Amino acid sequence: QVQLVESGGGSVQAGGSLRLSCAASGRTFSADFMGWFRQAPGKEREFLAAINWRGGTTYYADSVKGRFTISRDIAKNTVYLQIDSLKPEDTAIYYCAARPGTSPIYPYWGQGTQVTVSS
């Protein structure tokens, strides 16, 4: 089991920035990749970014390249998502997820943190 807890969400003005955090615990050896997703009301879950825990290689959805940055602090077992130049359409619940390298499916998910961007 891997437990994930997101934090750092909130209500911000358009053009502002947020840094979301995801603290991992439990059997973290099963978390070869960690990713960020978001889901707006009435819409499907959207992949945003992922990072290879050991190597640090990052992956981004085209829709967020240039504004979103994923990183991790190995010592703290924490992954971050820096979001710059926030737009109202970024409003969603943001989820942290983890998966082993042997599967494309993310079996471990956090509870989500709400990001609301006002104009």
Side-chain angles (χ1 to χ4, degrees):
Q1 297 180 339
V2 177
Q3 291 80 47
L4 304 172
V5 179
E6 302 97 331
S7 62
S11 298
V12 298
Q13 297 273 4
S17 298
L18 284 173
R19 189 178 75 160
L20 309 182
S21 298
C22 174
S25 60
R27 298 184 178 184
T28 55
F29 59 82
S30 296
D32 294 317
F33 293 87
M34 298 187 70
W36 285 96
F37 297 76
R38 68 184 178 189
Q39 187 167 26
K43 297 184 178 180
E44 294 184 351
R45 181 182 61 195
E46 176 187 12
F47 169 78
L48 300 172
I51 187 167
N52 179 281
W53 189 254
R54 177 174 291 179
T57 303
T58 58
Y59 309 87
Y60 295 95
D62 288 341
S63 61
V64 302
K65 285 182 179 178
R67 295 195 301 120
F68 287 36
T69 304
I70 189 171
S71 62
R72 90 283 200 222
D73 186 326
I74 296 175
K76 295 182 178 180
N77 263 357
T78 299
V79 64
Y80 304 96
L81 185 68
Q82 175 72 33
I83 312 175
D84 297 319
S85 301
L86 279 158
K87 304 174 181 179
E89 52 263 44
D90 292 323
T91 296
I93 301 175
Y94 284 69
Y95 295 93
C96 176
R99 67 173 178 87
T102 53
S103 173
I105 305 300
Y106 284 83
Y108 310 112
W109 293 83
Q111 84 288 351
T113 185
Q114 177 71 46
V115 172
T116 303
V117 184
S118 62
S119 59

